Amino acid sequence: MNSTLFFEELWKQYASKTPSAYKVKSLLEGEGETIFNDHIAIRTFDDLRTNIEVIAKPFIAMGYTEMGEYHFEAKKLYAKHYEHIENPDAPKIFISQLLTDHFSLELQATVKKILDNCNNDIFNQDDLILQGRVWETPSYEVYKMLQEESEYAAWMYVNGFCSNHFTIDVNKLEGFENLNNLNQFLKENGFILNSSGGEIKGTPSQLLEQSSILADKIEMEFIEGIKEVTSCYYEFAYRYKQDNGQLFTGFIANSADKIFESTDMKLQEA
Ligand code: OOG
Ligand code: NI
């Protein structure tokens, strides 16, 4: 699949489970804006069958290069980001993985069982991240057990492989001078921002400011019946110039740490 088609398909799947993202995009287009995507993000388990390297492979084949790496000690996550050097307009890719070994033996065994119980050929397919949850109908009991240790693990168990957000490139908006203006506009229109660590994560001196809306909630079929879980969210990024005059293209671990929480069930209930 060529990369334009791939990102179109990825957006379609993401928008179908993230009605707020579709609404925000339409609202801004209604104001005359054209939307550009700064980056997407993918989550996975660090199992050798599904780790960051496995997820990154099709992107490397598209011409992406590994750039930065990020550590999240408290959340027990690790991430890398990728850029398309020849095409700076291609969205950056942020891929994180759960550091399974840092959790309980019960969680480790559960993750292994989830992966063992599905057709492992699928992990090597180029379109893995268009496949969503590739394992069987989840159990609510397992979901709650994972959630006690890691919101990320629980989210991954029910959502699977996808882009968990797209990101509006705020630099390219015409009617919004800065991220705060966009945030105010979104709030006036009824969208709820993730305020963990403040509505704006990052500072001009860190060269990146980010905000996001809370993930949508969707109905999910569990073995035990239908329950609500979080799906995906929309992010907004404003980048500043580095000393060389080029926009900063990386990520900031402290900010990312809070952006992850956009899918936390605990923020929904607060
Ligand atoms: C990724 C969170 C981090 C960013 O831009 O810093 C992030 C995730 O929720 O999987 O997207
Ligand atoms: Ni992001």
Side-chain angles (χ1 to χ4, degrees):
M1 201 186 301
N2 85 30
S3 60
T4 310
L5 274 179
F6 176 82
F7 284 108
E8 272 174 24
E9 186 56 36
L10 195 63
W11 166 266
K12 262 190 224 161
Q13 295 194 9
Y14 157 82
S16 74
K17 62 196 282 200
T18 320
S20 296
Y22 183 81
K23 282 183 205 152
V24 167
K25 184 164 181 278
S26 306
L27 182 67
L28 289 169
E29 285 170 346
E31 300 282 310
E33 298 286 358
T34 304
I35 304 303
F36 295 90
N37 183 27
D38 179 82
H39 68 268
I40 61 157
I42 303 167
R43 298 178 177 178
T44 192
F45 297 119
D46 66 352
D47 187 285
L48 287 176
R49 292 168 286 183
T50 58
N51 65 16
I52 293 176
E53 270 50 53
V54 174
I55 303 295
K57 228 170 139 197
F59 294 106
I60 305 280
M62 282 182 204
Y64 278 88
T65 307
E66 186 183 317
M67 301 296 287
E69 60 159 4
Y70 311 90
H71 297 270
F72 304 93
E73 266 170 43
K75 290 188 172 63
K76 302 168 188 167
L77 303 173
Y78 172 69
K80 288 184 179 176
H81 100 264
Y82 298 78
E83 292 177 33
H84 201 295
I85 305 301
E86 278 149 43
N87 177 12
D89 292 334
K92 293 167 266 299
I93 318 280
F94 183 95
I95 310 176
S96 61
Q97 64 184 16
L98 187 77
L99 300 176
T100 317
D101 293 354
H102 295 52
F103 291 90
S104 72
L105 292 176
E106 191 186 12
L107 182 142
Q108 293 179 41
T110 304
V111 168
K112 183 171 182 307
K113 200 166 135 202
I114 293 165
L115 300 176
D116 285 350
N117 282 348
C118 57
N119 173 4
N120 283 212
D121 292 340
I122 211 153
F123 301 140
N124 296 311
Q125 287 177 13
D126 278 352
D127 62 351
L128 176 62
I129 73 150
L130 299 176
Q131 303 289 329
R133 195 191 69 232
V134 295
W135 38 88
E136 59 211 9
T137 307
S139 143
Y140 197 62
E141 195 188 324
V142 171
Y143 174 77
K144 294 305 276 182
M145 184 276 278
L146 292 173
Q147 201 176 41
E148 270 178 36
E149 288 193 58
S150 164
E151 287 264 9
Y152 181 107
W155 182 93
M156 187 61 202
Y157 176 51
V158 293
N159 285 281
F161 300 99
C162 60
S163 179
N164 73 66
H165 63 278
F166 277 64
T167 310
I168 293 186
D169 180 341
V170 180
N171 297 63
K172 292 200 176 136
L173 295 179
E174 307 217 313
F176 298 89
E177 248 171 63
N178 55 42
L179 190 55
N180 185 47
N181 287 354
L182 177 65
N183 285 348
Q184 297 314 318
F185 175 79
L186 294 170
K187 287 198 286 185
E188 280 160 22
N189 283 281
F191 294 98
I192 302 174
L193 295 177
N194 167 0
S195 58
S196 176
E199 285 178 354
I200 295 185
K201 284 96 174 133
T203 60
S205 64
Q206 289 178 307
L207 305 180
L208 175 61
E209 290 180 323
Q210 294 164 282
S211 65
S212 62
I213 52 172
L214 289 184
D216 279 320
K217 278 199 283 187
I218 56 167
E219 294 197 329
M220 174 78 55
E221 188 192 334
F222 286 92
I223 295 168
E224 295 90 339
I226 306 277
K227 314 268 182 198
E228 276 200 323
V229 299
T230 50
S231 58
C232 304
Y233 62 93
Y234 215 179
E235 186 189 312
F236 316 98
Y238 189 89
R239 295 183 180 275
Y240 291 85
K241 280 186 184 158
Q242 311 172 103
D243 290 339
N244 66 9
Q246 308 276 40
L247 289 179
F248 174 67
T249 56
F251 293 83
I252 304 292
N254 274 337
S255 302
D257 187 75
K258 301 292 180 283
I259 297 276
F260 275 116
E261 295 174 18
S262 308
T263 60
D264 283 12
M265 284 302 282
K266 87 170 183 267
L267 290 192
Q268 301 274 344
E269 285 144 11

